[in-house]
Amino acid sequence: MTASTTDLLDALDGRLIVSCQAYPGEPMRHPETMAQIAQAAVAGGAAGIRAQGLADIALIAERLPGVPLIGLWKVGAEGVFITPTLRHARAVRDAGAAIVAIDGTRRPRPDGLTLASTVAALHADDEGAPGDGTLVMADCGSLEDALAAAEAGADLIGTTLAGYTGERPRTDGPDLDLIARITERLPGVPLIAEGRIHTPAQAAAARDAGALAVVVGTAITHPTTITGWFAVAL
Ligand SMILES: CC(=O)N[C@H](C=O)[C@@H](O)[C@H](O)[C@H](O)COP(=O)(O)O
């Protein structure tokens, strides 16, 4: 692990990462809007940002230099849709993401590459290049995914897809059991807890279950969903 990688992981250790995403057709789907939300999140104590789409990633990287940025590129919303190919991953990196989040499941990838060869290609791109190496976050849906992703060379594991691939139940709140199982089996691999973390207490529980850092999206940055929670309560 290089010194810069250690610094980046140290900066995230025990901290909050805020995912700033708006979905196709939504009123807030604009890079300026997402950049403002990211800046507001950092002002509130976020140590890192997760962002979707090349324009959002580029603008957030420019506005928040030095803040660890996890980038992804969603293609559709089913199957392998989070940064599905090596081409998408390289574009996310080139847009300015320090950490590239890619589908980290065991499902076939649309470009026919394995997860291992995708990670290896991204790491090989950095060889001999000046500056920091790209870190790859594997967005996983199960313990089996996480074990395979670590074997494939992923730098970080995320529980992003737990409850969305059919291998785990869609828990009401974070999948704490999965977080605990992954950290028990992969003690040396940084785990990012992500998915359905809706309260500060759930964020703390995810950290206590063994996560290095915790990503919160919807509960902080998706007002349509948050409004719906209140609206249905009345
Ligand atoms: C499954 C999927 O597509 N997850 C996406 C991954 O980037 C996002 O839509 C989520 O908002 C993100 O993972 C954060 O999770 P939550 O919004 O539950 O805090």
Side-chain angles (χ1 to χ4, degrees):
M1 209 177 273
T2 65
S4 58
T5 299
T6 307
D7 288 348
L8 193 146
L9 295 177
D10 283 349
L12 295 176
D13 193 355
R15 304 287 303 277
L16 175 68
I17 299 165
V18 173
S19 177
C20 305
Q21 299 186 38
Y23 301 99
E26 292 188 336
M28 287 170 54
R29 191 162 163 105
H30 192 286
E32 181 61 45
T33 307
M34 288 300 115
Q36 289 175 343
I37 289 194
Q39 289 173 276
V42 168
I49 296 294
R50 178 168 161 120
Q52 190 288 137
L54 302 184
D56 291 18
I57 293 164
L59 190 58
I60 291 169
E62 183 189 314
R63 293 279 172 81
L64 293 169
V67 174
L69 177 57
I70 302 173
L72 64 147
W73 181 352
K74 283 185 182 170
V75 180
E78 284 176 16
V80 176
F81 68 92
I82 294 180
T83 324
T85 71
L86 177 59
R87 177 179 72 83
H88 292 98
R90 283 178 165 147
V92 165
R93 176 205 55 209
D94 293 345
I99 301 170
V100 178
I102 66 177
D103 181 285
T105 69
R106 306 180 323 285
R107 300 172 294 189
R109 313 176 78 78
D111 58 6
L113 295 178
T114 62
L115 180 59
S117 56
T118 303
V119 173
L122 291 167
H123 286 160
D125 287 347
D126 295 328
E127 273 170 26
D132 302 341
T134 308
L135 297 182
V136 180
M137 173 174 171
D139 285 341
C140 295
S142 65
L143 173 64
E144 293 73 18
D145 281 348
L147 296 173
E151 183 72 25
D155 301 290
L156 304 104
I157 302 289
T159 56
T160 316
L161 290 170
Y164 302 103
T165 64
E167 288 198 287
R168 299 284 303 176
R170 194 171 299 186
T171 47
D172 187 18
D175 190 339
L176 296 173
D177 177 57
L178 179 63
I179 294 164
R181 283 172 194 255
I182 294 174
T183 51
E184 186 191 338
R185 291 288 297 276
L186 297 170
V189 181
L191 178 73
I192 308 293
E194 176 167 349
R196 302 181 303 283
I197 298 167
H198 290 163
T199 67
Q202 289 174 346
R207 165 71 175 166
D208 291 345
L212 175 87
V214 174
V215 173
V216 176
T218 304
I220 295 176
T221 65
H222 201 253
T224 303
T225 300
I226 302 163
T227 303
W229 294 340
F230 285 88
V232 298
L234 299 180

